[in-house]
Each structure stands twice: as structure tokens, then as C-alpha cells.
Amino acid sequence: MTDPEAPDLIETAPVVPDAALDRPIALVGMMGCGKSTVGRRLARRLALPFVDSDQEVETAAGCPVSEVFERFGEAAFRQGEYKVLARLLDGRRKVIATGGGAFAEPGTRDLIRARAVTVWLKADLDTLVARTARRDTRPLLRGPDPRAKLARLLDRRTPDYAQADIHVVSADGPHGRVVDAIIDALTAHLEENTAS
């Protein structure tokens, strides 16, 4: 009989061959698509470290992302974000949740694409609105009509996100399903690139 308190061994067992994955996995997509939540679970399943680039920016800046935006502006935030991602994309295997706008910046996108396997977590507007409404920590959504702001950002950033190596839908439902879909797509992507 199994112990209900014991960790699920299937949940934590590595599922992607070590030799096939020779770089970090970077999750990209809109704020609210699940990069941090799914990223932690993906890292656990792959037995890899997890890093949230927004948290790393906050640590480097000594204040929350919203305060960096308020005090220094978005351009200064993006410069800091680039520097943090350049440090995190050091070639070691890990899962990185990037900020929502990172992959929309051409230089940052080029850096991420050159040094990581990129996974776009795609979520529809209704899902993004529902998820981002839970916290008031998103500087780009402050003020009236956050839904319209999200719609404009999604429309503008979609062509950038579409340049990711892998596309996975992040919808309502168990995060484990999204993790499974990422692992399946990642395995196929690695097999395809190993064969060529």
C-alpha cells in the first residue's frame, strides 16, 4: 500500500534525457500565462533548478518590479532585465520563467533564442484577464481598462512569442496538463534537433 503523504515519484522523475538537453529552457509569454507556476512544476518534473527572472531583477534592483517601473521607467527595467537574463542564460540546464515583455524586446529575444530552448505558453485574453486580476502588481496594467491594455499587448507581442521553438497552450485546468504538453513538445523538439 502506498503512503498518501509520500512524494509522487512519477511527478519528480526526470523525463527528458540529460544528453539531449544541453541548455536552459526559457518560458516566454504574456503576463498571466503561467510561466512562474508552470515553470516551477516543470523544473520539479525535470529535476532541474527553477529561476524567475522577474524575481532576479527585483533582487538586483533591491525593489519590486513595479517600483523599478515607477522610479526609472520601462526602458531602464528592460536594460536591467537583459543583464539579468544574460547572467541566467549561462549554459547550465535549468528552467527560467522570463518576464512577459522580455521576448518582445529584439535584443533580449535574440539572447534568449541563442542560449535556450524557448517555450511560448499561449493563453487567450479571457484567461489572461482572469489570472492578472488576482494581483495588482503588474505596472503595465495599472489604471483604467486593464483588459484593453492586455489585448493591445497581446496583439503587439504575439508575433514575437511566435518565434519561440515550442508553442504550448496554457488554459484553465490542472497545471500538470500544461507541464505534460511541454515535456512532450520538448522531447519531440530535442529528438528532431538531435537527428538533424
Side-chain angles (χ1 to χ4, degrees):
M1 181 157 179
T2 60
D3 178 359
E5 298 299 315
D8 182 355
L9 296 178
I10 295 171
E11 172 79 5
T12 59
V15 292
V16 174
D18 285 349
L21 182 63
D22 63 351
R23 58 187 44 217
I25 300 165
L27 303 181
V28 303
M30 286 291 293
M31 60 185 96
C33 71
K35 296 180 300 287
S36 296
T37 304
V38 169
R40 281 185 194 88
R41 291 171 184 244
L42 177 64
R44 192 168 40 244
R45 285 275 299 278
L46 298 177
L48 295 174
F50 171 77
V51 184
D52 185 309
S53 70
D54 278 349
Q55 288 178 350
E56 293 293 314
V57 168
E58 290 179 343
T59 299
C63 61
V65 166
S66 58
E67 191 174 326
V68 174
F69 266 78
E70 288 171 21
R71 291 174 55 193
F72 307 107
E74 185 175 358
F77 170 78
R78 296 294 172 207
Q79 289 173 350
E81 181 178 56
Y82 179 92
K83 290 176 184 175
V84 164
L85 283 164
R87 177 176 51 81
L88 295 175
L89 293 163
D90 58 5
R92 289 184 286 188
R93 294 162 20 101
K94 65 184 87 153
V95 176
I96 302 170
T98 66
F103 212 64
E105 293 293 315
T108 306
R109 181 175 56 251
D110 291 346
L111 172 74
I112 297 169
R113 290 187 72 212
R115 297 188 187 177
V117 176
T118 53
V119 179
W120 174 22
L121 294 184
K122 297 169 60 172
D124 64 38
L125 182 60
D126 289 336
T127 300
L128 296 172
V129 169
R131 290 177 180 173
T132 57
R134 296 176 190 155
R135 294 184 293 154
D136 183 32
T137 58
R138 319 268 185 181
L140 293 177
L141 298 184
R142 292 215 169 122
D145 205 355
R147 180 185 185 85
K149 290 176 183 176
L150 262 175
R152 283 190 299 273
L153 283 170
L154 180 61
D155 194 48
R156 189 169 68 232
R157 292 177 177 176
T158 292
D160 300 323
Y161 297 143
Q163 295 178 50
D165 299 313
I166 297 166
H167 302 182
V168 173
V169 174
S170 176
D172 285 336
H175 296 299
R177 275 193 230 149
V178 179
V179 171
D180 289 342
I182 293 170
I183 290 171
D184 290 346
L186 179 62
T187 302
H189 173 78
L190 294 172
E191 287 172 357
E192 178 182 306
N193 285 331
T194 303
S196 50

